[in-house]
Amino acid sequence: MRLLVHNLLMCNKCDKNNYPLKIEVNKSVIMELEFKKDAILKLIPKLDFEVLSNTVRELGFKQFPKQIPPNVEQDLAFLKDLHRVLFETHIMDGQLTCPNPSCKRNYPITNGIPNMILTEDEQ
Amino acid sequence: MSRPESQLPPNLYYNEQESVKYTNCNRIINIQTQLSERAIQLLDLDLDECSLVLDIGCGSGISGFYLTQEGVNWVGLDISESMLNVAQQEKTEGELLLCDIGQGFKFRPGVFDAAISISVIQWLCVSFKKSENPYKRCTAFFESLRNCLKNNARAVFQFYPENNEQINMITSAALRAGFSGDIVVDYPNSAKAKKLYLVLQLGGQSSKKTMDVIQGLIEESDEEKVKVIGRQQKKIRKLKKQKKISQKSKLWIVKRKEKQTRLGRKVKKTTKYTGRKRNNLGLFK
């Protein structure tokens, strides 16, 4: 799982207070991918940048900016960091937890794929 | 060959063995490739604006591969762990989620620009457990989809409905969720090549209350087939119109005599006694 989908995903059980899911990482790996500037620029409006920034900092990358820098199209360094964080950092093992205190549902991540399937009782 | 949908639930049908076969079989890859390319064509993506697409039932990532080629990022959902593992192995560039679409799914509202699905949604119409209600699953799926698509987004689903009931179940669920759209049929005259695509639109100016079936691609040879069938049907209609002359009647005898005359044979003259009803005195028993 990479941080792009984490930025989009909400808890399947709750309707409120179900975003963002808390990440617990047991194993992560960096797999390089070709940097495409246009693809990343197109994606920026879709991101909840505050959530992304908080998540990245919690996972250890303290230098990641809290806000999108001005003149982002020219800021290659920022775009490359963003690329690394969104596309190259794979969380292979861990879990996602719903932030809703009355839910706290755990979604395990195995082989890099989060399992969002609910049991019969939960539907 | 019975449909996969009547054999096992999808997460069990697409087990490790089937997933490997699916990925290595050239015939399957070719078919899925054609379907994906056609669905992407029907999606009519504005590549300057489009950045995120939802791939429903992404499987081993065949359709996703073509999305990546178009330069769009995608998130794939699938119920089969084995298929997703294959996709992971193939290092697909999309995001992968293990998910049962019939349960619904939640993403941030309006985050996807479009949705694509190849050979999947007919699975929503079958249930293998008592707790699974196809009507509810179709409803949950289309409502979830509507929530996560942006306004004016388009969704294209190539699917294999078993019958009209399944088509109705799916289209009515989509309409209830607020979509409008049509079913596009490619190669309608070929039993083998015929393919159905549900093309949905969210929002937009006209919100139609029903869906039309419109003709998509038609091959040149398909047109020939239509002509041949037309000619055959014309011939049959003509034959039916000709009244049948009952055998051994006077009219039949006269016609036979005319034919024999034309052939140059010696034929007795036609008189008032021709074809007269004879009293069988029992002489020719």
Side-chain angles (χ1 to χ4, degrees), chain A residues 36-97:
Chain A
K36 292 173 197 159
K37 184 177 170 189
D38 291 328
I40 263 231
L41 281 171
K42 265 198 301 184
L43 207 46
I44 289 176
K46 297 275 181 190
L47 301 172
D48 185 331
F49 197 80
E50 193 187 328
V51 162
L52 179 68
S53 174
N54 290 337
T55 311
V56 167
R57 288 155 152 270
E58 272 170 34
L59 293 177
F61 189 174
K62 304 282 181 194
Q63 289 85 30
F64 197 75
K66 286 187 184 175
Q67 283 173 347
I68 302 175
N71 209 6
V72 67
E73 286 169 40
Q74 266 72 52
D75 195 342
L76 213 62
F78 167 73
L79 289 176
K80 291 217 162 161
D81 278 343
L82 189 61
H83 173 80
R84 166 137 292 195
V85 141
L86 285 179
F87 293 116
E88 293 185 334
T89 313
H90 295 255
I91 298 165
M92 299 307 283
D93 214 86
Q95 63 184 18
L96 298 166
T97 313

Side-chain angles (χ1 to χ4, degrees), chain B residues 14 57 74 113 115-116 134 156 172 178 220:
Chain B
Y14 292 105
W74 55 277
D113 299 307
I116 191 175
V156 173
S172 56
E220 263 177 30

Side-chain angles (χ1 to χ4, degrees), chain B:
Chain B
M1 212 166 73
S2 70
R3 290 163 59 90
E5 293 82 18
S6 57
Q7 295 177 35
L8 284 170
N11 55 322
L12 296 179
Y13 182 86
Y14 292 105
N15 57 16
E16 210 175 310
Q17 197 188 28
E18 187 69 28
S19 303
V20 168
K21 185 177 117 190
Y22 202 88
T23 326
N24 293 325
C25 171
N26 278 331
R27 188 185 68 91
I28 293 179
I29 293 174
N30 284 338
I31 296 173
Q32 297 304 104
T33 296
Q34 278 172 29
L35 300 175
S36 306
E37 288 179 331
R38 175 61 169 148
I40 290 175
Q41 185 188 57
L42 288 168
L43 265 181
D44 197 22
L45 298 170
D46 179 353
L47 292 177
D48 291 328
E49 299 256 319
C50 177
S51 55
L52 263 181
V53 173
L54 185 63
D55 188 342
I56 295 147
C58 62
S60 52
I62 297 176
S63 43
F65 173 75
Y66 292 99
L67 289 172
T68 303
Q69 286 214 309
E70 295 285 313
V72 300
N73 299 297
W74 55 277
V75 173
L77 311 176
D78 206 277
I79 200 172
S80 161
E81 210 170 332
S82 312
M83 285 291 236
L84 289 175
N85 284 336
V86 172
Q88 187 82 291
Q89 247 178 300
E90 301 286 310
K91 295 203 175 21
T92 54
E93 290 185 28
E95 299 285 351
L96 306 169
L97 289 172
L98 183 62
C99 157
D100 180 352
I101 58 173
Q103 292 180 349
F105 41 87
K106 293 199 176 80
F107 293 99
R108 270 196 287 119
V111 86
F112 287 104
D113 299 307
I116 191 175
S117 177
I118 306 295
S119 314
V120 172
I121 58 172
Q122 70 278 357
W123 283 100
L124 286 170
C125 303
V126 297
S127 69
F128 289 88
K129 298 183 202 168
K130 259 190 182 172
S131 56
E132 276 180 10
N133 177 332
Y135 176 90
K136 281 190 182 168
R137 287 170 63 77
C138 288
T139 307
F141 167 66
F142 281 109
E143 281 181 0
S144 302
L145 185 64
R146 176 209 57 213
N147 290 337
C148 69
L149 283 176
K150 74 171 189 197
N151 204 18
N152 294 322
R154 188 177 274 199
V156 173
F157 306 82
Q158 181 276 324
F159 70 124
Y160 293 113
E162 192 178 3
N163 48 39
N164 277 334
E165 280 77 45
Q166 289 196 352
I167 297 180
N168 286 335
M169 190 186 288
I170 287 172
T171 52
S172 56
L175 288 165
R176 278 197 311 275
F179 289 98
S180 59
D182 300 299
I183 294 189
V184 174
V185 184
D186 280 352
Y187 313 116
N189 299 309
S190 164
K192 241 189 176 181
K194 180 177 174 183
K195 294 286 184 285
L196 261 68
Y197 297 84
L198 177 63
V199 180
L200 296 181
Q201 194 86 35
L202 195 58
Q205 281 174 340
S206 71
S207 210
K208 292 190 325 195
K209 296 265 170 90
T210 52
M211 291 201 195
D212 296 322
V213 176
I214 59 185
Q215 189 173 274
L217 297 173
I218 181 164
E219 248 187 57
E220 263 177 30
S221 59
D222 248 24
E223 279 178 355
E224 259 309 303
K225 271 190 210 161
V226 174
K227 278 186 195 162
V228 166
I229 292 171
R231 266 185 256 132
Q232 283 175 345
Q233 284 178 339
K234 211 176 176 181
K235 207 175 182 184
I236 294 170
R237 278 200 293 268
K238 195 176 179 187
L239 283 170
K240 277 191 181 168
K241 268 191 184 168
Q242 285 172 351
K243 276 187 192 164
K244 231 189 167 181
I245 303 165
S246 57
Q247 275 210 343
K248 311 291 182 185
S249 65
K250 181 169 183 181
L251 188 59
W252 180 82
I253 294 171
V254 167
K255 276 202 176 297
R256 287 282 297 217
K257 279 187 161 181
E258 278 172 13
K259 190 178 176 186
Q260 297 287 334
T261 322
R262 269 184 272 137
L263 287 171
R265 307 243 173 92
K266 256 187 176 178
V267 174
K268 299 269 181 182
K269 263 198 298 190
T270 307
T271 65
K272 66 176 177 180
Y273 302 106
T274 309
R276 184 191 65 162
K277 205 170 177 196
R278 272 112 172 130
N279 238 340
N280 194 346
L281 300 170
L283 294 173
F284 304 107
K285 268 196 190 159

Side-chain angles (χ1 to χ4, degrees), chain A residues 5-20:
Chain A
V5 78
H6 169 259
N7 200 265
L8 312 169
L9 199 55
M10 299 169 103
C11 173
N12 211 357
K13 276 180 75 183
C14 331
D15 287 317
K16 288 182 187 171
N17 199 7
N18 55 352
Y19 174 82

